[in-house]
């Protein structure tokens, strides 16, 4: 590696550092917000300054919202006395995405395959290209809901990031990987962060994985199995698991006034594609099957990678305690992939 | 002491017996879960499935939703369901609206000591979820007056005799009593700005059963689908109208909201208005009394029309 230098930024200097960086390039960073009912907090990636920086909780929504916003105008009009112009502009301003985990980063890369597949989604790739990525590597799982190691994600991978950061006693160690990361290093220099060595990182605590890679065809075979009907009767068909998921990418497009808007849709809900055409899966178990099969069978069949990166969000956010890991284990047993 | 009331064993036995006799196709109850709130709805179709049934203070879910969904799927079947008194009220509402054939449902009732509000102990260790305390008890349980499931077809365990200690909807009375209109608007704008329109509140509500919700109709489009603060507010105001005289305060909508929007503040306020304007009407309390918005009387004032 060409650059062996790393910087240590202590917790008390972290905000000052992000603020200085934000003056140069807008920074998106996980921040905490109070819940309206006063029972706690949730964290989200938002432009710096909206809330209180919190890099150690699992964000409610994944970084997907940074590349595929929950709603965005993809087409609009401007009018003046002479003419009507159609405007459709992908965003181009550079920004920094600070402190994303490898499950999310990997999810975004797996989605590149999809958004570049039958047509090139210019909005997705404009945002991909204008974003400098700082990965916060996980040398241990955030909690017992993380299972990236089941689905081929390396929690301490550093190669494809622009900069990498690691939690250390009292702060973070940050180092540069690509040229685009220079802007971060410059600011670290400016705010007087201490120089340290690039640490050796070893991931601990990622145990007891069920290897799901390679089981997509076996799962495909049990599409019509009776097990689906009894697998998750408690699923209510809301949008939570798909909205929080970094790899769910379904969207719908509608006109709102003079704007054409694209926004997230979700296969688990009974209204999925129904207002445009019809609902292809009239039963709730079929809709839940779609979510599981898309991730663990169809996606790997088409793109060679599992469409889930084990971030654990759907598990922690599902109000009815649906745990996709339990279901995958049951399905793999049914498909005779594991005992 | 997770098994706060000792009905688990009796319920398992009863469920097994009902399935064995064959007059019931499915029994709906709760099972244990490893994640908060440490319980989960469970549907037993075979006798052996009944072994998993439990009941404890974490069994918050309103199972009437599952009765409705099951019967929509299998309209010829019969189900038995374990219902807390509060949840049972939503079955009454559904029967009044001819959405459920009460003959197809066997209600298993019991004396409920109260349940935990999982939001009050969110993030706490599992111990905080184990028994009822002043800190974790659900608000609705403090003014519950239907602790022994009314209209139960089968009653298991002992009746309980616990009197309400708070005034009904005390949280709402306090909340609206203190705030000016502009403060209220600011509060709700703030709350709805965080709504992600996942519709979990709608999906979990046993009384939200429309085939296509008005929030999704697009010919014409009543409510825009982008989750902006204004659109979200419109969706929620609209839903409040749907709930008028129907919400039974099971609290499920508020529990499932991933961003913690205090939705009961809305529906309970509407319930207070209904109670006030329609001669003390309370949804699901009396299956004989016609719901105000289903009833027509020649004496209805129409001063709001012209
Ligand atoms: S699995 Fe959970 S979060 Fe997903 S649709 Fe079903 S109930 Fe909602
Ligand atoms: S399916 Fe669940 S665990 Fe997998 S990436 Fe999506 S939210 Fe994360
Ligand atoms: S799981 Fe469902 S919502 Fe997610 S990407 Fe697949 S079809 Fe879309
Ligand atoms: S559950 Fe909460 S976030 Fe979801 S639609 Fe309802 S109010 Fe909005
Ligand atoms: S609106 Fe909420 S509290 Fe009222 S019945 Fe529906 S889920 Fe229960």
């Amino acid at each position: 590696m060409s650059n062996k230098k790393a910087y240590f930024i202590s917790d008390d200097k972290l905000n000052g550092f992000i603020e200085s960086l934000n003056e140069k390039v807008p920074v998106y960073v996980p921040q905490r917000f109070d819940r309206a009912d006063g029972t706690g907090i949730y964290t989200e990636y938002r432009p710096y300054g909206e809330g209180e920086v919190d890099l150690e909780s699992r964000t409610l929504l994944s970084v997907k919202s940074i590349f595929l916003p929950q709603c965005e105008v993809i087409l609009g009009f401007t009018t003046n006395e002479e003419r009507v112009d159609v405007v459709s502009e992908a965003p181009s301003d550079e920004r920094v995405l600070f402190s994303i985990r490898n499950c999310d980063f990997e999810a975004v890369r797996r989605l590149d395959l999809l958004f570049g597949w039958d047509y090139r989604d210019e909005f997705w790739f404009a945002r991909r290209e204008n974003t400098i990525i700082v990965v916060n590597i996980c040398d241990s799982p955030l909690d017992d809901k993380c299972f990236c190691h089941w689905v081929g994600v390396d929690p301490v991978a550093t190669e494809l990031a622009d900069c990498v950061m690691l939690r250390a006693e009292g702060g973070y160690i940050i180092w540069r990987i690509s040229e685009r990361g220079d802007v971060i290093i410059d600011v670290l220099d400016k705010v007087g962060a201490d120089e340290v060595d690039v640490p050796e990182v070893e991931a601990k605590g990622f145990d007891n994985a069920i290897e799901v890679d390679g089981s997509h065809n076996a799962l495909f075979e049990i599409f019509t199995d009776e097990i689906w009907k009894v697998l998750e009767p408690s699923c209510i068909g809301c949008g939570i698991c798909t909205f929080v998921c970094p790899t769910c990418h379904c969207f719908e497009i509608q006109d709102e006034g003079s704007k054409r808007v694209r926004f997230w849709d979700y296969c688990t809900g009974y209204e999925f594609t129904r207002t445009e055409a019809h609902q292809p899966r009239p039963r709730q178990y079929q809709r839940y099957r779609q979510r599981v099969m898309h991730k663990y069978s169809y996606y790997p069949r088409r793109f060679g990678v599992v469409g889930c990166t084990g971030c654990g969000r759907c598990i922690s956010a599902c109000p009815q305690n649906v745990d996709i890991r339990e279901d995958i284990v049951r399905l793999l047993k049914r498909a005779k992939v594991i005992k | 002491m997770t098994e706060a009331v000792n009905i688990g064993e009796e319920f398992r036995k009863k469920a097994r017996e009902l399935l064995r006799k064959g007059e019931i196709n499915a029994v709906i109850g709760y099972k244990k879960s490893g994640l908060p709130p440490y319980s989960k709805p469970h549907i037993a179709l075979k006798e052996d499935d009944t072994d998993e049934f439990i009941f404890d203070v974490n069994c918050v879910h309103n199972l009437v939703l599952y009765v409705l969904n099951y019967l929509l799927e299998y309209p010829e079947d019969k189900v038995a369901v374990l219902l807390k008194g509060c949840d049972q009220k939503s079955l009454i509402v559904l029967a009044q609206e001819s959405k459920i054939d009460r003959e197809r449902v066997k209600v298993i009732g019991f004396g409920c000591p109260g349940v935990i509000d999982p939001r009050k102990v969110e993030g706490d260790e599992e111990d905080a979820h184990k028994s009822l305390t002043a800190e974790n008890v659900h608000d609705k349980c403090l003014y519950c007056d239907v602790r022994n499931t009314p209209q139960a077809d089968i009653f298991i365990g002992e009746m309980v005799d616990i009197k309400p200690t708070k005034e009904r909807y005390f949280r709402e009375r306090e909340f609206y009593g203190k705030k000016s209109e502009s403060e209220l608007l600011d509060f709700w704008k703030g709350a709805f700005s965080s709504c992600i329109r996942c519709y979990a509140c709608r999906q979990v509500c046993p009384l939200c059963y429309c085939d296509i919700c008005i929030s999704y109709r697009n010919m014409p489009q009543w409510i825009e689908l982008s989750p902006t603060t204004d659109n979200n507010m419109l969706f929620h105001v609209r839903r409040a109208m749907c709930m008028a005289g129907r919400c039974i305060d099971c609290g499920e909508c508020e529990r499932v909201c991933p961003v913690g929007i205090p939705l009961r503040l809305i529906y309970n306020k509407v319930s207070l208005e209904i109670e006030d304007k329609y001669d003390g009407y309370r949804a699901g309390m009396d299956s004989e009394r016609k719901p105000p918005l289903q009833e027509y009387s020649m004496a209805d004032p129409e001063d709001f029309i012209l």
Side-chain angles (χ1 to χ4, degrees):
Chain A
M1 214 183 276
S2 60
N3 195 325
K4 274 287 175 198
K5 234 170 31 174
Y7 288 85
F8 177 79
I9 186 98
S10 58
D11 288 334
D12 55 330
K13 287 197 187 146
L14 184 69
N15 262 305
F17 155 67
I18 301 178
E19 193 163 324
S20 311
L21 180 61
N22 190 52
E23 279 161 17
K24 287 185 134 181
V25 195
V27 180
Y28 286 76
V29 54
Q31 291 160 75
R32 328 161 139 243
F33 298 92
D34 288 329
R35 294 167 139 205
D37 64 359
T39 56
I41 53 125
Y42 62 100
T43 59
E44 251 181 31
Y45 287 91
R46 296 257 191 102
Y48 174 74
E50 291 189 8
E52 196 187 317
V53 173
D54 175 352
L55 310 183
E56 292 305 313
S57 329
R58 176 186 284 111
T59 55
L60 176 72
L61 300 179
S62 73
V63 294
K64 169 180 72 178
S65 58
I66 301 294
F67 299 98
L68 179 73
Q70 185 164 11
C71 67
E72 75 174 324
V73 178
I74 54 171
L75 195 73
F77 306 97
T78 56
T79 53
N80 60 34
E81 266 144 41
E82 276 129 44
R83 50 186 289 150
V84 177
D85 287 310
V86 175
V87 196
S88 173
E89 262 169 39
S92 57
D93 294 342
E94 189 163 70
R95 68 241 172 107
V96 171
L97 184 49
F98 194 76
S99 183
I100 94 169
R101 304 281 168 172
N102 265 316
C103 51
D104 274 11
F105 188 29
E106 174 78 20
V108 172
R109 295 206 310 275
R110 290 184 186 181
L111 282 182
D112 286 345
L113 302 170
L114 176 119
F115 283 114
W117 163 54
D118 52 350
Y119 70 98
R120 201 179 147 82
D121 191 298
E122 53 179 294
F123 287 86
W124 174 269
F125 285 105
R127 289 203 171 84
R128 281 288 278 129
E129 277 146 27
N130 72 13
T131 309
I132 299 167
I133 288 179
V134 184
V135 171
N136 192 348
I137 56 177
C138 305
D139 56 0
S140 62
L142 276 184
D143 62 20
D144 57 0
K145 285 152 205 124
C146 292
F147 65 109
C148 53
H149 57 307
W150 290 31
V151 283
V153 177
D154 177 3
V156 293
T158 57
E159 302 82 43
L160 295 160
D162 297 313
C163 273
V164 168
M165 60 195 283
L166 173 70
R167 181 79 193 150
E169 174 116 30
Y172 290 90
I173 301 173
I174 306 182
W175 64 102
R176 162 195 185 278
I177 303 292
S178 83
E179 238 169 65
R180 292 187 85 188
D182 282 344
V183 56
I184 288 146
I185 301 302
D186 287 350
V187 177
L188 281 168
D189 238 350
K190 216 177 74 194
V191 298
D194 299 329
E195 271 184 41
V196 291
D197 288 335
V198 171
E200 293 286 324
V201 190
E202 199 192 332
K204 288 202 196 73
F206 293 93
D207 309 321
N208 304 326
I210 304 279
E211 191 55 61
V212 298
D213 243 2
S215 50
H216 45 274
N217 287 327
L219 286 173
F220 196 73
E221 292 302 316
I222 59 164
F223 180 88
T224 51
D225 196 288
E226 286 292 306
I227 190 172
W228 292 104
K229 289 195 180 159
V230 292
L231 190 65
E232 268 318 333
S234 59
C235 170
I236 56 171
C238 64
I240 296 182
C241 54
T242 60
F243 284 7
V244 299
C245 176
T247 59
C248 272
H249 49 265
C250 281
F251 55 79
E252 135 164 50
I253 293 175
Q254 285 208 6
D255 289 352
E256 296 185 351
S258 60
K259 290 174 298 202
R260 181 152 298 171
V261 191
R262 125 162 130 179
F263 45 86
W264 298 347
D265 200 356
Y266 53 108
C267 64
T268 41
Y270 70 99
E271 283 147 332
F272 182 72
T273 65
R274 190 160 156 183
T275 45
E276 290 76 20
H278 85 127
Q279 163 61 275
R281 305 174 195 98
R283 306 270 149 80
Q284 191 54 44
Y285 82 85
Q286 297 167 330
R287 302 195 275 267
Y288 185 69
R289 176 176 63 194
Q290 165 65 12
R291 178 164 150 81
V292 176
M293 285 292 245
H294 192 185
K295 298 201 171 313
Y296 287 88
S297 181
Y298 317 149
Y299 209 83
R301 275 162 68 92
R302 184 170 302 279
F303 297 115
V305 287
V306 178
C308 160
T309 57
C311 73
R313 283 195 184 83
C314 56
I315 303 166
S316 64
C318 174
Q320 306 303 82
N321 294 12
V322 172
D323 185 336
I324 197 164
R325 292 170 301 187
E326 283 171 18
D327 292 336
I328 281 299
V329 169
R330 282 172 70 189
L331 291 166
L332 291 179
K333 283 185 181 158
R334 188 66 160 213
K336 302 210 167 53
V337 176
I338 56 173
K339 282 224 178 70
Chain B
M1 205 192 66
T2 329
E3 204 97 331
V5 277
N6 246 338
I7 57 156
E9 188 54 46
E10 209 179 329
F11 180 57
R12 286 187 286 274
K13 254 214 262 139
K14 192 57 92 222
R16 196 173 257 281
E17 180 192 315
L18 288 168
L19 286 169
R20 185 172 52 236
K21 281 196 199 145
E23 50 195 77
I24 291 288
N25 305 81
V27 182
I28 305 177
Y30 303 91
K31 70 173 172 189
K32 187 112 188 85
S33 160
L35 304 165
Y38 303 109
S39 75
K40 181 173 171 169
H42 177 54
I43 304 181
L45 302 171
K46 303 188 304 293
E47 279 177 58
D48 285 348
D49 301 341
T50 60
D51 292 343
E52 281 191 78
F53 279 132
I54 55 135
F55 185 83
D56 62 31
V57 291
N58 294 308
C59 293
V60 284
H61 316 75
N62 182 348
L63 298 178
V64 172
L65 172 74
Y66 293 92
V67 175
L68 176 67
N69 289 349
Y70 185 92
L71 289 178
L72 286 175
E73 192 74 29
Y74 308 102
E76 304 299 317
D77 277 11
K78 282 194 170 173
V79 292
V81 58
L82 183 71
L83 288 186
K84 306 189 283 286
C86 49
D87 301 341
Q88 195 270 346
K89 291 188 283 180
S90 49
L91 189 69
I92 293 188
V93 177
L94 288 173
Q96 284 173 324
E97 298 176 355
S98 306
K99 200 64 194 172
I100 276 189
D101 178 358
R102 188 62 178 76
E103 299 294 305
R104 302 207 165 268
V105 188
K106 215 176 234 344
V107 174
I108 304 178
F110 62 100
C112 178
V115 288
I116 284 176
D117 181 349
R119 297 166 324 124
K120 292 191 181 172
V121 275
E122 201 174 289
D124 295 2
E125 296 295 314
E126 193 173 345
D127 275 352
H129 295 256
K130 285 219 161 116
S131 51
L132 277 184
T133 64
E135 281 73 48
N136 67 14
V137 63
H138 201 291
D139 287 351
K140 68 175 179 181
C141 303
L142 297 175
Y143 49 79
C144 176
D145 50 7
V146 284
R147 286 186 179 272
N148 299 297
T149 317
Q151 301 199 5
D153 300 302
I154 302 167
F155 197 93
I156 57 174
E158 309 264 305
M159 295 260 223
V160 296
D161 181 23
I162 310 171
K163 297 271 174 296
T165 52
K166 291 265 195 186
E167 192 183 8
R168 184 164 52 258
Y169 308 139
F170 67 92
R171 188 179 70 148
E172 290 68 28
R173 290 178 210 259
E174 205 177 298
F175 178 82
Y176 290 99
K178 282 203 300 236
K179 292 199 170 45
S180 70
E181 245 171 62
S182 68
E183 280 171 329
L184 281 173
L185 193 62
D186 286 348
F187 175 85
W188 287 115
K189 276 200 169 146
F192 291 137
S193 69
S194 55
C195 170
I196 58 171
R197 286 280 270 285
C198 62
Y199 298 118
C201 47
R202 185 193 70 185
Q203 288 306 106
V204 84
C205 178
L207 304 175
C208 264
Y209 51 64
C210 290
D211 192 30
I212 296 190
C213 173
I214 190 155
S215 62
Y216 248 81
R217 290 194 179 273
N218 64 350
M219 286 198 293
Q221 185 168 60
W222 300 98
I223 302 172
E224 292 180 346
L225 284 164
S226 340
T228 61
T229 303
D230 286 352
N231 291 344
N232 296 345
M233 177 107 71
L234 203 56
F235 163 60
H236 286 287
V237 168
R238 181 55 243 183
R239 191 165 123 74
M241 294 300 129
C242 294
M243 285 304 128
R246 304 175 65 234
C247 170
I248 50 88
D249 195 23
C250 63
E252 281 289 86
C253 47
E254 189 169 284
R255 175 182 69 83
V256 299
C257 178
V259 293
I261 299 178
L263 294 164
R264 278 169 60 247
L265 284 178
I266 308 175
Y267 312 127
N268 287 349
K269 170 72 177 158
V270 176
S271 296
L272 276 170
E273 295 286 322
I274 292 278
E275 230 179 291
D276 180 47
K277 299 214 162 46
Y278 293 86
D279 197 16
Y281 182 84
R282 286 173 59 201
M285 291 301 280
D286 178 358
S287 47
E288 299 308 312
R289 185 165 166 195
K290 259 202 173 301
L293 302 184
Q294 278 179 31
E295 196 174 28
Y296 175 79
S297 148
M298 290 302 278
D300 277 347
E302 290 179 351
D303 47 3
F304 61 96
I305 292 179
L306 262 185

